[in-house]
C-alpha cells in the first residue's frame, strides 16, 4: 500500500484536509482509531465536502470503497486520510475520487469529494481522520487537535525523522 522515498532531515507540516472542528483521536467513537491503532493524527468534523491534499507527495493508495486515500509525503513518511466511520459500508456511494494512484500532488490539491448529508442520513459519522501510520522512523507532533481548522491553512501535525 505504501512506499517510502526518504529525504533526510525534512519536517513535513500536515495541513487540515477539510474545514471543520478538530477532534482528538481518543474522542472518536471507534476503538481502532481512538486507541491509535491506525496511527497518530486527528479527526475533523467537516463542514465542507472536498478533501484536499494536506501536504506535497505521491498518492499511493485509494480504497476500492473510495473513502480512504494514502500518500507518501515528500520526506518519505506516509499518511492516511479516512473519510467517515464505517463508510466503507457505502461501497463508494456518496464519494467521488478526484485523483489517481501515482499522481504527484501539492498541498491544496483536491483529492476527493463526498456527500456530507448522505453520510449523515445513513447514520454514519462523517469525521475526516488524518493519521500517520505507526513507524519507528518518524515522529509525529500533534499541533492542533481541538477547535476550528481551515483546509490548506491550519497545521494539524508535523512528521519528522526519529
Amino acid at each position: 500500500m505504501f512506499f517510502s522515498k526518504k529525504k533526510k532531515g525534512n519536517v513535513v507540516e500536515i495541513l487540515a484536509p477539510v474545514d471543520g472542528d478538530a477532534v482528538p483521536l481518543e474522542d472518536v467513537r471507534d476503538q481502532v482509531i481512538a486507541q491509535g491503532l491506525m496511527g497518530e493524527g486527528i479527526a475533523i468534523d467537516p463542514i465542507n465536502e472536498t478533501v484536499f491534499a494536506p501536504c506535497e507527495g505521491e498518492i499511493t493508495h485509494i480504497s476500492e470503497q473510495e473513502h480512504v486515500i494514502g500518500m507518501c509525503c515528500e520526506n518519505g513518511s506516509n499518511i492516511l486520510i479516512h473519510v467517515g466511520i464505517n463508510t466503507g459500508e457505502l461501497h463508494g456511494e456518496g464519494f467521488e475520487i478526484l485523483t489517481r494512484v501515482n499522481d504527484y500532488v501539492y498541498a491544496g490539491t483536491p483529492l476527493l469529494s463526498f456527500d456530507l448529508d448522505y453520510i449523515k442520513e445513513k447514520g454514519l459519522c462523517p469525521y475526516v481522520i488524518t493519521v500517520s501510520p505507526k513507524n519507528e522512523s518518524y515522529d509525529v507532533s500533534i499541533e492542533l487537535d481541538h477547535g476550528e481548522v481551515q483546509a490548506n491553512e491550519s497545521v494539524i501535525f508535523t512528521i519528522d525523522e526519529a
Side-chain angles (χ1 to χ4, degrees):
M1 178 190 316
F2 298 112
F3 65 96
S4 185
K5 292 180 182 176
K6 204 168 197 175
K7 289 184 185 179
K8 286 199 169 238
N10 282 342
V11 175
V12 172
E13 291 184 332
I14 304 302
L15 303 176
V18 293
D19 295 325
D21 290 313
V23 177
L25 290 185
E26 58 266 16
D27 292 348
V28 174
R29 290 189 175 150
D30 179 282
Q31 290 302 324
V32 172
I33 295 166
Q35 293 176 8
L37 300 177
M38 277 182 59
E40 295 179 76
I42 72 158
I44 299 172
D45 189 0
I47 59 172
N48 65 345
E49 298 180 329
T50 301
V51 173
F52 298 95
C55 64
E56 180 178 343
E58 188 169 341
I59 303 300
T60 57
H61 174 78
I62 298 172
S63 71
E64 190 175 313
Q65 295 85 7
E66 301 183 351
H67 69 297
V68 178
I69 291 183
M71 287 183 65
C72 179
C73 305
E74 61 185 325
N75 71 347
S77 62
N78 294 300
I79 59 169
L80 274 178
I81 304 164
H82 190 286
V83 179
I85 308 294
N86 296 323
T87 49
E89 299 171 1
L90 301 176
H91 303 287
E93 194 167 329
F95 294 89
E96 180 184 1
I97 296 295
L98 306 173
T99 190
R100 294 184 309 241
V101 170
N102 298 323
D103 280 357
Y104 195 85
V105 298
Y106 296 90
T109 302
L111 301 179
L112 72 87
S113 63
F114 60 97
D115 186 332
L116 184 56
D117 290 334
Y118 180 74
I119 292 170
K120 289 179 178 180
E121 285 169 11
K122 294 295 183 180
L124 301 173
C125 175
Y127 286 179
V128 176
I129 297 110
T130 306
V131 297
S132 177
K134 293 197 185 266
N135 183 330
E136 293 176 8
S137 300
Y138 294 94
D139 289 325
V140 175
S141 296
I142 304 299
E143 301 292 323
L144 183 64
D145 68 357
H146 64 280
E148 186 177 314
V149 295
Q150 293 182 320
N152 310 317
E153 291 183 26
S154 302
V155 177
I156 54 175
F157 60 89
T158 59
I159 306 172
D160 194 6
E161 286 189 83

